[in-house]
Amino acid sequence: RVVVDVRGLHKSYGLTEVLKGVDLQVRAGEVTVLLGPSGSGKSTLLRCINHLEKVNRGTVAIDGELIGYRAAGARLHELREREVLRQRTHIGFVFQNFNLFPHLTVAENLVEAPVSALGVPRAKARERAERLLMRVGLRDKAKAYPGQLSGGQQQRIAIARALAVEPKVLLFDEPTSALDPELVGEVLDVIKDLARSGTTMIVVTHEIGFAREVADTVVFMDNGQIVEQGAPADVLDNP
Ligand code: ADP
Ligand code: ADP
């Protein structure tokens, strides 16, 4: 089953075309790692998949639900804002800089979205939060505030928070690049564990070793296009 289906995606900022016709399919349970030089469009692609950006042309479908514009000339088709928000709740997003709510405790950070966006009963959301904290090895931090945690711990909490809505796909935008080197491993270990348990993920990263070990598919972007795509050994070991 294809969970993320990107077709003919074009995205411009003003006159600058940043994505120049991107096609990408991600199947359930698969990990896709996006590599490529800075400025090649990786982050923009993730933001379009998460509907944080409007696309100029092409479509993004999450689990069969289409969103975006049809090709120029065809009838324009755009989902309403409410529909966009609903779809976005099925997508987990982990940012480079954690983006936790600083005024909420760790537990409250995990409970907030399921309760407010999905209407999950608070007691149930709390139980789920506790299980997720156990999963990322931070059960004892439930009552702490983000500012009291290390960067690695904050990012593990951010991953737990993204999982709290039980997303169909989890997107990571350079999840370890804001961390001190000694904290990178603990975050990658959490992502590896999710991969083993069949979580569908797209990970933008510069960690080649991680890509080699964890990716089902490696996608290499350059200048707004996918220039190579395949199994890690094929993409990474070719001269
Ligand atoms: P990557 O994630 O591969 O580093 P990005 O998707 O962040 O690449 O950026 C691709 C290009 O789009 C860059 O040239 C960047 O400057 C440009 N860009 C990204 N966001 C915006 C924006 N909001 N407005 C204008 N240009 C942008
Ligand atoms: P990243 O590669 O992780 O997206 P950037 O530094 O490229 O980090 O972008 C940080 C933010 O600035 C993003 O929200 C991006 O959309 C925006 N941005 C990047 N390039 C430009 C640009 N040329 N003009 C306006 N906004 C930009």
mmCIF file of all heavy atoms in Angstrom, residues 193-226:
data_model
loop_
_atom_site.group_PDB
_atom_site.id
_atom_site.type_symbol
_atom_site.label_atom_id
_atom_site.label_comp_id
_atom_site.label_asym_id
_atom_site.label_seq_id
_atom_site.Cartn_x
_atom_site.Cartn_y
_atom_site.Cartn_z
ATOM 1 N N ASP A 193 14.652 2.103 16.036
ATOM 2 C CA ASP A 193 13.676 1.253 16.706
ATOM 3 C C ASP A 193 12.306 1.362 16.032
ATOM 4 O O ASP A 193 11.612 0.361 15.835
ATOM 5 C CB ASP A 193 13.609 1.658 18.188
ATOM 6 C CG ASP A 193 12.555 0.865 18.941
ATOM 7 O OD1 ASP A 193 12.659 -0.371 18.941
ATOM 8 O OD2 ASP A 193 11.623 1.484 19.491
ATOM 9 N N LEU A 194 11.933 2.581 15.649
ATOM 10 C CA LEU A 194 10.653 2.774 14.936
ATOM 11 C C LEU A 194 10.687 2.066 13.588
ATOM 12 O O LEU A 194 9.700 1.476 13.161
ATOM 13 C CB LEU A 194 10.384 4.264 14.728
ATOM 14 C CG LEU A 194 10.144 5.084 15.994
ATOM 15 C CD1 LEU A 194 10.025 6.563 15.653
ATOM 16 C CD2 LEU A 194 8.890 4.613 16.706
ATOM 17 N N ALA A 195 11.825 2.122 12.928
ATOM 18 C CA ALA A 195 11.954 1.464 11.621
ATOM 19 C C ALA A 195 11.743 -0.041 11.768
ATOM 20 O O ALA A 195 11.037 -0.666 10.977
ATOM 21 C CB ALA A 195 13.323 1.763 11.021
ATOM 22 N N ARG A 196 12.362 -0.611 12.805
ATOM 23 C CA ARG A 196 12.224 -2.058 13.039
ATOM 24 C C ARG A 196 10.786 -2.455 13.289
ATOM 25 O O ARG A 196 10.359 -3.540 12.927
ATOM 26 C CB ARG A 196 13.095 -2.488 14.224
ATOM 27 C CG ARG A 196 14.538 -2.790 13.843
ATOM 28 C CD ARG A 196 15.273 -3.485 14.985
ATOM 29 N NE ARG A 196 15.478 -2.576 16.105
ATOM 30 C CZ ARG A 196 16.548 -1.802 16.257
ATOM 31 N NH1 ARG A 196 17.519 -1.836 15.376
ATOM 32 N NH2 ARG A 196 16.653 -0.998 17.293
ATOM 33 N N SER A 197 10.017 -1.543 13.900
ATOM 34 C CA SER A 197 8.630 -1.907 14.202
ATOM 35 C C SER A 197 7.673 -1.491 13.080
ATOM 36 O O SER A 197 6.458 -1.525 13.249
ATOM 37 C CB SER A 197 8.205 -1.303 15.544
ATOM 38 O OG SER A 197 8.227 0.091 15.471
ATOM 39 N N GLY A 198 8.228 -1.074 11.926
ATOM 40 C CA GLY A 198 7.382 -0.892 10.751
ATOM 41 C C GLY A 198 6.708 0.462 10.609
ATOM 42 O O GLY A 198 5.706 0.587 9.914
ATOM 43 N N THR A 199 7.282 1.488 11.250
ATOM 44 C CA THR A 199 6.730 2.836 11.089
ATOM 45 C C THR A 199 7.118 3.393 9.718
ATOM 46 O O THR A 199 8.277 3.300 9.324
ATOM 47 C CB THR A 199 7.298 3.770 12.188
ATOM 48 O OG1 THR A 199 7.104 3.144 13.455
ATOM 49 C CG2 THR A 199 6.620 5.121 12.175
ATOM 50 N N THR A 200 6.152 3.948 9.013
ATOM 51 C CA THR A 200 6.418 4.555 7.704
ATOM 52 C C THR A 200 7.062 5.927 7.918
ATOM 53 O O THR A 200 6.500 6.760 8.625
ATOM 54 C CB THR A 200 5.101 4.720 6.926
ATOM 55 O OG1 THR A 200 4.380 3.485 6.964
ATOM 56 C CG2 THR A 200 5.357 5.136 5.483
ATOM 57 N N MET A 201 8.249 6.124 7.307
ATOM 58 C CA MET A 201 8.972 7.369 7.603
ATOM 59 C C MET A 201 9.694 7.916 6.382
ATOM 60 O O MET A 201 10.146 7.164 5.521
ATOM 61 C CB MET A 201 10.029 7.109 8.698
ATOM 62 C CG MET A 201 9.451 6.675 10.024
ATOM 63 S SD MET A 201 10.686 6.594 11.335
ATOM 64 C CE MET A 201 11.283 4.930 11.099
ATOM 65 N N ILE A 202 9.802 9.246 6.349
ATOM 66 C CA ILE A 202 10.693 9.925 5.411
ATOM 67 C C ILE A 202 11.650 10.757 6.263
ATOM 68 O O ILE A 202 11.207 11.557 7.087
ATOM 69 C CB ILE A 202 9.940 10.856 4.440
ATOM 70 C CG1 ILE A 202 8.880 10.069 3.661
ATOM 71 C CG2 ILE A 202 10.926 11.533 3.483
ATOM 72 C CD1 ILE A 202 8.035 10.939 2.735
ATOM 73 N N VAL A 203 12.945 10.530 6.080
ATOM 74 C CA VAL A 203 13.945 11.173 6.930
ATOM 75 C C VAL A 203 14.916 11.973 6.067
ATOM 76 O O VAL A 203 15.614 11.409 5.221
ATOM 77 C CB VAL A 203 14.740 10.121 7.741
ATOM 78 C CG1 VAL A 203 15.678 10.822 8.721
ATOM 79 C CG2 VAL A 203 13.805 9.159 8.480
ATOM 80 N N VAL A 204 14.941 13.289 6.281
ATOM 81 C CA VAL A 204 15.981 14.117 5.671
ATOM 82 C C VAL A 204 17.142 14.169 6.645
ATOM 83 O O VAL A 204 16.962 14.536 7.812
ATOM 84 C CB VAL A 204 15.479 15.557 5.400
ATOM 85 C CG1 VAL A 204 16.641 16.462 4.967
ATOM 86 C CG2 VAL A 204 14.393 15.552 4.341
ATOM 87 N N THR A 205 18.316 13.767 6.194
ATOM 88 C CA THR A 205 19.463 13.738 7.089
ATOM 89 C C THR A 205 20.751 13.754 6.289
ATOM 90 O O THR A 205 20.758 13.483 5.093
ATOM 91 C CB THR A 205 19.427 12.476 7.989
ATOM 92 O OG1 THR A 205 20.522 12.518 8.917
ATOM 93 C CG2 THR A 205 19.544 11.203 7.164
ATOM 94 N N HIS A 206 21.828 14.109 6.971
ATOM 95 C CA HIS A 206 23.153 13.998 6.339
ATOM 96 C C HIS A 206 23.908 12.797 6.912
ATOM 97 O O HIS A 206 25.092 12.618 6.622
ATOM 98 C CB HIS A 206 23.950 15.289 6.543
ATOM 99 C CG HIS A 206 23.330 16.468 5.861
ATOM 100 N ND1 HIS A 206 23.328 16.627 4.500
ATOM 101 C CD2 HIS A 206 22.652 17.531 6.357
ATOM 102 C CE1 HIS A 206 22.684 17.744 4.182
ATOM 103 N NE2 HIS A 206 22.263 18.309 5.298
ATOM 104 N N GLU A 207 23.254 11.995 7.741
ATOM 105 C CA GLU A 207 23.903 10.846 8.373
ATOM 106 C C GLU A 207 23.904 9.661 7.404
ATOM 107 O O GLU A 207 22.967 8.867 7.352
ATOM 108 C CB GLU A 207 23.168 10.460 9.666
ATOM 109 C CG GLU A 207 23.101 11.554 10.712
ATOM 110 C CD GLU A 207 24.407 11.720 11.477
ATOM 111 O OE1 GLU A 207 25.233 10.778 11.462
ATOM 112 O OE2 GLU A 207 24.595 12.790 12.078
ATOM 113 N N ILE A 208 24.991 9.539 6.650
ATOM 114 C CA ILE A 208 25.068 8.499 5.617
ATOM 115 C C ILE A 208 25.035 7.095 6.235
ATOM 116 O O ILE A 208 24.400 6.181 5.708
ATOM 117 C CB ILE A 208 26.362 8.657 4.783
ATOM 118 C CG1 ILE A 208 26.391 10.044 4.125
ATOM 119 C CG2 ILE A 208 26.451 7.567 3.731
ATOM 120 C CD1 ILE A 208 25.412 10.221 3.009
ATOM 121 N N GLY A 209 25.717 6.939 7.363
ATOM 122 C CA GLY A 209 25.740 5.632 8.014
ATOM 123 C C GLY A 209 24.337 5.185 8.401
ATOM 124 O O GLY A 209 23.961 4.022 8.222
ATOM 125 N N PHE A 210 23.576 6.126 8.916
ATOM 126 C CA PHE A 210 22.180 5.852 9.268
ATOM 127 C C PHE A 210 21.393 5.440 8.024
ATOM 128 O O PHE A 210 20.632 4.469 8.042
ATOM 129 C CB PHE A 210 21.564 7.105 9.918
ATOM 130 C CG PHE A 210 20.076 7.040 10.097
ATOM 131 C CD1 PHE A 210 19.519 6.415 11.199
ATOM 132 C CD2 PHE A 210 19.239 7.607 9.150
ATOM 133 C CE1 PHE A 210 18.143 6.357 11.355
ATOM 134 C CE2 PHE A 210 17.862 7.545 9.296
ATOM 135 C CZ PHE A 210 17.316 6.922 10.402
ATOM 136 N N ALA A 211 21.583 6.179 6.929
ATOM 137 C CA ALA A 211 20.863 5.870 5.683
ATOM 138 C C ALA A 211 21.190 4.454 5.215
ATOM 139 O O ALA A 211 20.313 3.674 4.851
ATOM 140 C CB ALA A 211 21.231 6.880 4.598
ATOM 141 N N ARG A 212 22.475 4.125 5.263
ATOM 142 C CA ARG A 212 22.915 2.802 4.807
ATOM 143 C C ARG A 212 22.284 1.693 5.642
ATOM 144 O O ARG A 212 21.869 0.659 5.125
ATOM 145 C CB ARG A 212 24.447 2.733 4.941
ATOM 146 C CG ARG A 212 25.104 1.599 4.216
ATOM 147 C CD ARG A 212 26.592 1.560 4.540
ATOM 148 N NE ARG A 212 27.280 2.810 4.216
ATOM 149 C CZ ARG A 212 27.718 3.125 3.006
ATOM 150 N NH1 ARG A 212 27.527 2.310 2.005
ATOM 151 N NH2 ARG A 212 28.343 4.264 2.790
ATOM 152 N N GLU A 213 22.185 1.949 6.942
ATOM 153 C CA GLU A 213 21.721 0.919 7.856
ATOM 154 C C GLU A 213 20.194 0.782 7.888
ATOM 155 O O GLU A 213 19.662 -0.320 7.993
ATOM 156 C CB GLU A 213 22.231 1.261 9.266
ATOM 157 C CG GLU A 213 21.996 0.197 10.295
ATOM 158 C CD GLU A 213 22.482 0.646 11.671
ATOM 159 O OE1 GLU A 213 23.252 1.637 11.758
ATOM 160 O OE2 GLU A 213 22.069 0.026 12.658
ATOM 161 N N VAL A 214 19.495 1.903 7.775
ATOM 162 C CA VAL A 214 18.064 1.899 8.093
ATOM 163 C C VAL A 214 17.154 2.048 6.870
ATOM 164 O O VAL A 214 16.035 1.538 6.862
ATOM 165 C CB VAL A 214 17.751 3.033 9.119
ATOM 166 C CG1 VAL A 214 16.277 3.071 9.455
ATOM 167 C CG2 VAL A 214 18.579 2.840 10.379
ATOM 168 N N ALA A 215 17.632 2.725 5.831
ATOM 169 C CA ALA A 215 16.741 3.055 4.713
ATOM 170 C C ALA A 215 16.349 1.823 3.908
ATOM 171 O O ALA A 215 17.172 0.939 3.662
ATOM 172 C CB ALA A 215 17.414 4.071 3.786
ATOM 173 N N ASP A 216 15.088 1.752 3.496
ATOM 174 C CA ASP A 216 14.700 0.827 2.447
ATOM 175 C C ASP A 216 15.030 1.453 1.098
ATOM 176 O O ASP A 216 15.471 0.777 0.176
ATOM 177 C CB ASP A 216 13.188 0.538 2.525
ATOM 178 C CG ASP A 216 12.840 -0.186 3.807
ATOM 179 O OD1 ASP A 216 13.253 -1.344 3.945
ATOM 180 O OD2 ASP A 216 12.181 0.410 4.681
ATOM 181 N N THR A 217 14.778 2.764 1.020
ATOM 182 C CA THR A 217 15.054 3.501 -0.209
ATOM 183 C C THR A 217 15.825 4.768 0.129
ATOM 184 O O THR A 217 15.484 5.472 1.076
ATOM 185 C CB THR A 217 13.736 3.914 -0.907
ATOM 186 O OG1 THR A 217 12.958 2.746 -1.127
ATOM 187 C CG2 THR A 217 13.998 4.608 -2.232
ATOM 188 N N VAL A 218 16.870 5.031 -0.649
ATOM 189 C CA VAL A 218 17.595 6.292 -0.538
ATOM 190 C C VAL A 218 17.254 7.123 -1.774
ATOM 191 O O VAL A 218 17.293 6.621 -2.896
ATOM 192 C CB VAL A 218 19.114 6.066 -0.449
ATOM 193 C CG1 VAL A 218 19.862 7.382 -0.560
ATOM 194 C CG2 VAL A 218 19.463 5.366 0.853
ATOM 195 N N VAL A 219 16.871 8.375 -1.519
ATOM 196 C CA VAL A 219 16.536 9.287 -2.608
ATOM 197 C C VAL A 219 17.538 10.430 -2.563
ATOM 198 O O VAL A 219 17.726 11.044 -1.520
ATOM 199 C CB VAL A 219 15.102 9.834 -2.429
ATOM 200 C CG1 VAL A 219 14.828 10.967 -3.405
ATOM 201 C CG2 VAL A 219 14.092 8.711 -2.587
ATOM 202 N N PHE A 220 18.189 10.688 -3.688
ATOM 203 C CA PHE A 220 19.174 11.766 -3.735
ATOM 204 C C PHE A 220 18.603 12.909 -4.546
ATOM 205 O O PHE A 220 18.240 12.742 -5.704
ATOM 206 C CB PHE A 220 20.482 11.256 -4.352
ATOM 207 C CG PHE A 220 21.630 12.186 -4.118
ATOM 208 C CD1 PHE A 220 22.360 12.128 -2.937
ATOM 209 C CD2 PHE A 220 21.969 13.136 -5.069
ATOM 210 C CE1 PHE A 220 23.415 13.010 -2.702
ATOM 211 C CE2 PHE A 220 23.022 14.019 -4.841
ATOM 212 C CZ PHE A 220 23.745 13.956 -3.663
ATOM 213 N N MET A 221 18.515 14.088 -3.895
ATOM 214 C CA MET A 221 17.966 15.266 -4.591
ATOM 215 C C MET A 221 19.073 16.233 -4.949
ATOM 216 O O MET A 221 20.056 16.379 -4.221
ATOM 217 C CB MET A 221 16.954 15.992 -3.696
ATOM 218 C CG MET A 221 15.632 15.269 -3.613
ATOM 219 S SD MET A 221 14.390 16.245 -2.752
ATOM 220 C CE MET A 221 14.065 17.530 -3.963
ATOM 221 N N ASP A 222 18.896 16.896 -6.075
ATOM 222 C CA ASP A 222 19.805 17.974 -6.442
ATOM 223 C C ASP A 222 19.017 18.994 -7.249
ATOM 224 O O ASP A 222 18.257 18.616 -8.153
ATOM 225 C CB ASP A 222 20.983 17.413 -7.265
ATOM 226 C CG ASP A 222 22.123 18.426 -7.373
ATOM 227 O OD1 ASP A 222 22.155 19.385 -6.562
ATOM 228 O OD2 ASP A 222 22.962 18.268 -8.263
ATOM 229 N N ASN A 223 19.151 20.252 -6.866
ATOM 230 C CA ASN A 223 18.560 21.330 -7.650
ATOM 231 C C ASN A 223 17.066 21.109 -7.944
ATOM 232 O O ASN A 223 16.618 21.297 -9.076
ATOM 233 C CB ASN A 223 19.365 21.475 -8.953
ATOM 234 C CG ASN A 223 19.066 22.779 -9.652
ATOM 235 O OD1 ASN A 223 18.577 23.728 -9.024
ATOM 236 N ND2 ASN A 223 19.322 22.838 -10.944
ATOM 237 N N GLY A 224 16.328 20.686 -6.916
ATOM 238 C CA GLY A 224 14.873 20.599 -7.065
ATOM 239 C C GLY A 224 14.354 19.357 -7.757
ATOM 240 O O GLY A 224 13.164 19.270 -8.064
ATOM 241 N N GLN A 225 15.251 18.404 -8.000
ATOM 242 C CA GLN A 225 14.806 17.169 -8.651
ATOM 243 C C GLN A 225 15.410 15.949 -7.966
ATOM 244 O O GLN A 225 16.476 16.028 -7.362
ATOM 245 C CB GLN A 225 15.248 17.169 -10.115
ATOM 246 C CG GLN A 225 14.513 18.187 -10.954
ATOM 247 C CD GLN A 225 14.958 18.150 -12.397
ATOM 248 O OE1 GLN A 225 16.148 18.201 -12.683
ATOM 249 N NE2 GLN A 225 13.998 18.065 -13.299
ATOM 250 N N ILE A 226 14.721 14.824 -8.110
ATOM 251 C CA ILE A 226 15.292 13.559 -7.662
ATOM 252 C C ILE A 226 16.220 13.068 -8.769
ATOM 253 O O ILE A 226 15.784 12.873 -9.905
ATOM 254 C CB ILE A 226 14.183 12.533 -7.371
ATOM 255 C CG1 ILE A 226 13.395 12.989 -6.132
ATOM 256 C CG2 ILE A 226 14.783 11.137 -7.162
ATOM 257 C CD1 ILE A 226 12.228 12.095 -5.774
#
